Every structure is written in structure tokens, then in C-alpha cells.
Amino acid sequence: MPRSHGSEIDTLIQLLAKLPGLGPRSARRSTLQLLKKKDSVMKPLADALNMVADKIVICDTCGNIDTHNPCHVCEDTRRDRSLVCVVEDVADLWALDRSETFKGLYHVLGGTLSALDGVGPDELNISPLIDRVETGDVQEVILALNATVDGQTTSHYLAERLASSGVKVTALAHGVPVGGELDYLDDGTLAAALRARGSVS
Amino acid sequence: MPRSHGSEIDTLIQLLAKLPGLGPRSARRSTLQLLKKKDSVMKPLADALNMVADKIVICDTCGNIDTHNPCHVCEDTRRDRSLVCVVEDVADLWALDRSETFKGLYHVLGGTLSALDGVGPDELNISPLIDRVETGDVQEVILALNATVDGQTTSHYLAERLASSGVKVTALAHGVPVGGELDYLDDGTLAAALRARGSVS
Ligand SMILES: [Zn+2]
Ligand SMILES: [Zn+2]
């Protein structure tokens, strides 16, 4: 291979190419843009990465990734603490929160049950959810898992586990396309699905 | 706006969204991926950005952006120093060099002449090219500008300026689609266009 630039630049291209949405070509273009905007983008980006990397923490309460523990959601006193929305991933928490329809709290499972991948209840953030529901002020648990087979299996499992707790258990209404993933939906669809949520237990 | 995470994370998302190919949604997904891969991607990326930012330099000879001056191309003794390929942008230099057909040197103009944008010869890296051709070992200048109106105007201007120097002036063969930009072409097309280059003066 010819070398038109130093190995540090190659390293940067390769690291950027690992980001979702950036292939090798976009990573090269991004690198060039960074090289040309050293002071306005490249250094601020390096600083932001270092600052966030130093502060990243997983919220002990809900599993959100943030720079504070408890996270910004859990420590927001304007939120309705009687509502807990259960999601698979932090990306789903962010997506739902952007829809600005839901003003309660969240609980991030960290995945779904999967026989194929050998993921059982102990591999997910489920026990802390049960504890949270049994000891806190929670009155309704909204299951907002992806409309995939594993997501729905996990939903049914959680509904059974939560049945004895006496809290209301609901799930997102149809409106989430079958097979679709929450994080790819527009905010309007997410909002409609939340408003029309129905009881599953 | 609800706050599901700290402002440092928002800053990171906004900076990533400035990269070509990453919109706000991909920037959020990239940020989450970085948060989840703190040690394997996030910190190495911050380090790579800082390391490259500290070393960025524009090659005094050819205008390439690199971590060394002269750049890796100019100091590569295996290259044919009698051939200079003139390109608009560093992205084109990188693209041509990836095609592995050309083993000469480059000269980056930094743009094209443009009556509309008020870009004249003095705004481009043209005088150093003339000096380089008149004082060095250059025997052939290959004009590899984009097949746009401004690119071709600039090509004609350079061919005229170089006519008195006695060096051979060639241009990329047809093969570059009209209106197309070099950096978007596949390596095979670039290689074919280079091999079939023809005289323009
Ligand atoms: Zn939290
Ligand atoms: Zn150079």
C-alpha cells in the first residue's frame, strides 16, 4: 500500500470507521474534515470524548448511561415517579425521551431474553426492576420492548414476574411496526404508541 | 426538552453530527456506541484525535495534510520525482494514491478558479506549482482536476501557465464521469483514467 499520510492518521480513520453509519470512505472524509477544522471540531471533539469518558457512569437506579449517578432522568424531580418504562437499551430510553410524551422514569434491561444467544433472566437487569417495583412508589410499569420475537417473549416474561406485585403492567400500543426497532422510529409514532398503550396483565 | 443525559454528552453528539455522513441520528447512535466501548474505542479515538491534532502540518512542497513536513508522499524515495499530479483537494490526493496506479508526486491546489466565488489564481496554490516545475526535476504535470466546469477551467488555465516551462502537460483521460468528483470514484475507474491520460498542450 502506498502511504499518502502518517500512521496516526490511518489509526484515526480506522477508529472512526467503527462508528455506526461511517464506513471506510466516510471515515476518510470525516478525517479530512477534522484535519481541516482542527481548532473548531477536532480538538473540541477530542476534549468532549475525554471529558465524557472520564465521567461515564451507569445509573444504579435505572441503567441509563450518563455523566451522573443517579442519572439526569432519575434525579429530575418534575418526573412522575409512579411510572416506570422498561426498555431494552439506552438508545430506546433516549428515543422515548426525545418524543417528549413520557414524563416518568425508565428501567434499562440491557437486552432481551434469547434462547438462541443463551440470555436468561439473570443476564438482564430484571431483579433490580422487581426490587424497584416492590419497594418504591411505582404504580405502573410500561413495557416498551422492541416488537421482535425476543422483545415480546421478554415482555410476557416480565408481565408474569410483575403480576404478583400488584402494579399495573401495560405495553406500548400497536403502532410500533412488527419487527421494527424503537430507536429507528420517528417521534410521532413513538408518541402515538405511548398514548395508546394497553394493559397486558 | 427533557434531559435524559448530561450536557457533556449533548456536546459530543453535536460535534459528531458535524462529520460528513453522520446526521443527528447517527451521531446519537455513534455516541452510544462510544459510551459502551469506552476503553476500546472512545479513549483511543480521543487519543488519536489529540495526537493527530498536535502533529497536523501542511506539506510545504505539495500541500498534502500530514503529520510530517515534507509529507509521506514527498519524502518517499521510491516515487518518480519527474511526475507531478495536480489535484484540487487533499481528498483527491488520497483517492488517487489508493488506486495504486500512480507512483509520482502530487500538488494540491486547494480548490479551483471560480468567477462566481471570486477565487483567482492568487487564492490557489498555483505559484508554488510553477516554481516547482521550473526549478525541479519535473518532466510531466498530470492535471487531475474534477470534471466540473470550474475544474476544467482551472485545467486550461494551468496548461497555459505551464506551456512555457517545456514540461509535458497531460490530463486524466475520459473515464471520469462528467460532473463527477474524483473522491467518489472507485479505484478501477481512477486507475483507467490515469493510464489513458492524454496530452493537453
Ligand atoms: Zn437513572
Ligand atoms: Zn508533500
Side-chain angles (χ1 to χ4, degrees), chain A residues 1-9 11-13 15-16 18-22 25-26 28-38 40-56 64-68 71-73 76 78-79 89-94 97-100 102-103 106 181-187, chain B residues 1-9 11-13 15-16 18-22 25-26 28-38 40-56 64-68 71-73 76 78-79 89-94 97-100 102-103 106 181-187:
Chain A
M1 269 298 283
R3 297 280 307 284
S4 46
H5 43 71
S7 59
E8 301 93 338
I9 294 178
T11 302
L12 181 53
I13 293 171
L15 284 166
L16 285 173
K18 291 185 182 179
L19 298 182
L22 281 186
R25 183 179 296 258
S26 317
R28 283 194 301 266
R29 294 183 75 81
S30 290
T31 298
L32 266 169
Q33 177 126 326
L34 288 165
L35 292 170
K36 290 175 180 176
K37 298 187 175 174
K38 185 177 85 167
S40 62
V41 185
M42 193 173 206
K43 281 176 167 290
L45 179 58
D47 292 343
L49 286 165
N50 272 324
M51 181 168 298
V52 172
D54 286 344
K55 291 190 175 183
I56 290 176
N64 188 16
I65 301 179
D66 201 357
T67 48
H68 291 84
C71 73
H72 278 78
V73 173
D76 182 348
R78 294 161 305 178
R79 287 176 184 264
D89 192 271
V90 175
D92 303 324
L93 187 165
W94 290 11
D97 228 46
R98 278 197 308 281
S99 78
E100 299 197 42
F102 182 67
K103 301 293 186 191
Y106 294 92
E181 299 196 330
L182 291 190
D183 192 36
Y184 283 99
L185 296 183
D186 62 289
D187 296 349
Chain B
M1 267 300 283
R3 295 281 308 283
S4 46
H5 43 71
S7 59
E8 302 92 339
I9 295 178
T11 301
L12 182 54
I13 294 171
L15 285 165
L16 286 172
K18 292 184 183 180
L19 298 182
L22 281 185
R25 184 180 296 258
S26 317
R28 283 194 300 264
R29 296 183 73 82
S30 290
T31 298
L32 266 169
Q33 178 128 323
L34 289 164
L35 292 171
K36 289 175 181 177
K37 297 186 175 175
K38 184 176 87 168
S40 63
V41 184
M42 193 173 207
K43 280 176 167 292
L45 179 57
D47 291 344
L49 286 165
N50 272 324
M51 181 168 297
V52 172
D54 286 343
K55 292 189 173 183
I56 291 176
N64 189 15
I65 300 179
D66 200 359
T67 48
H68 292 83
C71 72
H72 279 79
V73 172
D76 182 349
R78 295 161 305 178
R79 288 175 184 263
D89 192 90
V90 175
D92 303 324
L93 187 165
W94 290 12
D97 228 48
R98 278 198 309 279
S99 77
E100 298 195 44
F102 182 69
K103 303 293 186 192
Y106 293 93
E181 299 196 330
L182 291 189
D183 190 38
Y184 283 99
L185 295 183
D186 63 289
D187 296 349

Side-chain angles (χ1 to χ4, degrees), chain A residues 134 159-167:
Chain A
E134 287 176 349
E160 276 180 31
R161 283 285 298 269
L162 291 165
S164 60
S165 67
V167 300

Side-chain angles (χ1 to χ4, degrees), chain B residues 59 61-64 70-71 73-74:
Chain B
C59 177
T61 306
C62 75
N64 189 15
C71 72
V73 172
C74 287

